[in-house]
C-alpha cells in the first residue's frame, strides 16, 4: 500500500509543473493551482479557499460552492486522503523522514500520548477558527498565503510562467528548517487549515481504519503512525488521514485481518 500511495503522491505532484508549462504552450484545457483548478470548464477548489472568499466578499456564490462538490464528495467517501495521498508538502515531509534516518539524526517524532493528540486537535481547530475571523476582518486570504501546498503551487506557476517568485515563498524554507531540525510534522499536526476543514466534512461513514480487536499488541501500528495516533482506538480521529501505514506495517495482517480500511 505504501508503494501505491507514493505513486499517487508523485502523480498529484506532476500538475504542479505540468499545468503552467501547458499554459505557456497556450494549452488551457487545464489551468490554475491546487487552490483553484479548472479542467475543461469544471472548477475544483480547496474548501478553505472558498470559505475565505465567502468571508471576504460576505456573499454566497453558487459557482463557488459548486467548485467544492468534488473535494467534498471525495472526503465524504474516502476521508481526508488528500493529506497523505496527494498533498505535495506531505510528500516532502515523507522525504525528510527518510533523509533524517539515512543521516542517522536523532528522531524528532514524539512517543504516542493521548494528551499530544488532544493538544494537536485543539490547536488545529483554533488556528482554523481564528484564521477565518482574521480573514473576515482583514479581508485578505491569510490561510491561503501561509499554507505550504498553496505556496508551492502558486510559486511554481509564477516561476515557470513569469520567471519570478513573491515574498510569501520565504515562509516555505522557514517551515522546512523547522520541520527538519526542530519539530515533527508541525504544520500537519498543529496548524493545517485544509486538513482541519476536510476532517470536519468527514463522518463515521467515511472510509477509515478499522480494528478487528484481535492482535498481538506489538504496537507497531502506533510506532509507525505519522500523526501520533493509536489506530486501534483513534481510527475515527479527525487527525487520521488514511495514509494506511498502520495497515501496511501490521504483522498480524499477514495471518488475519486486524487493521484494514472500511466504509459503512
Amino acid at each position: 500500500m505504501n508503494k501505491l500511495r507514493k505513486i499517487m503522491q508523485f502523480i498529484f505532484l506532476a500538475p504542479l509543473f505540468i499545468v503552467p508549462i501547458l499554459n505557456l504552450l497556450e494549452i488551457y484545457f487545464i489551468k490554475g493551482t491546487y487552490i483553484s483548478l479548472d479542467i475543461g470548464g469544471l472548477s475544483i477548489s480547496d474548501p478553505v479557499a472558498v470559505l475565505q472568499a465567502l468571508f471576504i466578499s460576505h456573499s454566497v456564490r453558487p459557482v463557488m460552492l459548486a467548485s467544492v462538490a468534488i473535494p467534498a464528495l471525495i472526503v465524504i467517501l474516502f476521508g481526508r486522503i488528500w493529506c497523505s495521498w496527494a498533498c505535495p508538502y506531505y510528500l516532502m515531509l515523507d522525504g525528510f523522514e527518510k533523509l533524517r534516518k539515512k543521516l542517522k539524526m536523532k528522531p524528532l517524532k514524539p512517543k504516542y500520548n493521548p494528551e499530544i493528540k488532544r493538544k494537536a486537535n485543539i490547536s488545529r481547530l483554533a488556528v482554523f477558527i481564528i484564521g477565518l475571523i482574521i480573514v473576515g476582518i482583514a479581508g485578505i486570504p491569510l490561510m491561503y498565503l501561509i499554507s505550504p501546498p498553496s505556496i508551492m503551487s502558486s510559486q511554481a506557476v509564477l516561476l515557470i510562467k513569469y520567471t519570478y517568485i513573491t515574498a510569501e515563498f520565504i515562509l516555505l524554507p522557514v517551515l522546512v528548517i523547522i520541520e527538519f531540525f526542530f519539530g515533527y510534522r508541525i504544520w500537519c499536526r498543529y496548524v493545517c487549515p485544509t486538513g482541519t476543514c476536510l476532517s470536519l466534512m468527514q463522518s463515521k461513514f467515511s472510509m477509515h481504519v478499522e480494528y478487528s480487536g484481535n492482535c498481538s499488541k506489538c504496537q507497531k501500528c502506533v510506532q509507525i503512525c505519522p500523526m501520533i495516533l493509536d489506530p486501534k482506538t483513534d481510527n475515527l480521529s479527525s487527525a487520521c488521514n488514511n495514509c494506511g501505514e498502520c495497515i501496511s506495517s501490521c504483522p498480524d495482517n499477514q495471518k488475519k485481518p486486524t487493521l484494514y480500511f472500511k466504509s459503512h
Side-chain angles (χ1 to χ4, degrees):
M1 184 178 297
N2 281 337
K3 289 183 178 180
L4 176 60
R5 185 171 70 86
K6 195 61 60 183
I7 290 172
M8 293 302 298
Q9 285 179 311
F10 279 102
I11 288 176
F12 278 94
L13 177 66
L16 199 74
F17 309 100
I18 293 176
V19 172
I21 290 175
L22 288 176
N23 295 165
L24 270 180
L25 298 174
E26 297 186 356
I27 300 174
Y28 299 106
F29 176 79
I30 178 171
K31 57 181 181 290
T33 66
Y34 286 144
I35 303 306
S36 182
L37 193 65
D38 187 277
I39 305 175
L42 176 65
S43 296
I44 303 174
S45 299
D46 179 345
V48 174
V50 172
L51 269 177
Q52 290 185 110
L54 293 177
F55 270 67
I56 292 172
S57 65
H58 304 294
S59 63
V60 178
R61 299 179 184 176
V63 175
M64 293 171 60
L65 294 179
S67 68
V68 302
I70 292 178
L73 180 61
I74 292 174
V75 173
I76 291 171
L77 294 177
F78 303 106
R80 36 178 299 202
I81 58 172
W82 156 262
C83 300
S84 59
W85 289 73
C87 176
Y89 189 68
Y90 197 95
L91 173 61
M92 184 186 295
L93 297 184
D94 283 347
F96 286 167
E97 286 304 298
K98 290 184 178 180
L99 180 58
R100 286 184 59 85
K101 288 180 181 178
K102 286 185 178 181
L103 296 176
K104 298 181 180 180
M105 297 174 68
K106 182 180 179 181
L108 294 173
K109 184 179 179 179
K111 293 183 178 180
Y112 172 76
N113 186 322
E115 186 62 16
I116 292 178
K117 178 187 67 176
R118 188 184 71 84
K119 289 180 179 179
N121 289 340
I122 292 174
S123 174
R124 285 196 312 276
L125 188 59
V127 169
F128 183 67
I129 294 174
I130 293 173
L132 285 178
I133 293 173
I134 295 175
V135 167
I137 295 175
I140 57 174
L142 176 66
M143 291 188 285
Y144 167 79
L145 297 176
I146 66 172
S147 171
S150 303
I151 295 173
M152 294 170 72
S153 185
S154 62
Q155 296 301 306
V157 171
L158 291 175
L159 183 61
I160 294 173
K161 294 182 66 175
Y162 308 108
T163 65
Y164 73 87
I165 56 177
T166 58
E168 64 187 276
F169 179 80
I170 298 173
L171 181 61
L172 193 58
V174 171
L175 287 173
V176 165
I177 292 172
I178 292 173
E179 299 273 12
F180 192 80
F181 293 103
F182 304 106
Y184 175 80
R185 298 186 186 268
I186 298 297
W187 177 266
C188 299
R189 296 194 299 118
Y190 289 97
V191 183
C192 185
T194 296
T196 302
C197 185
L198 296 180
S199 68
L200 294 174
M201 297 167 71
Q202 64 185 2
S203 71
K204 65 179 181 180
F205 301 106
S206 305
M207 186 179 78
H208 61 272
V209 175
E210 187 75 4
Y211 172 54
S212 67
N214 299 309
C215 74
S216 60
K217 309 298 181 182
C218 69
Q219 296 296 87
K220 182 69 175 177
C221 59
V222 179
Q223 296 167 13
I224 200 71
C225 178
M227 300 304 286
I228 323 297
L229 303 173
D230 183 346
K232 300 187 297 298
T233 57
D234 298 329
N235 57 329
L236 293 176
S237 170
S238 61
C240 180
N241 54 37
N242 285 343
C243 68
E245 289 201 28
C246 58
I247 296 174
S248 299
S249 66
C250 177
D252 295 316
N253 273 347
Q254 299 176 10
K255 305 173 185 177
K256 55 190 175 183
T258 302
L259 289 172
Y260 52 93
F261 282 129
K262 180 181 179 180
S263 296
H264 289 289

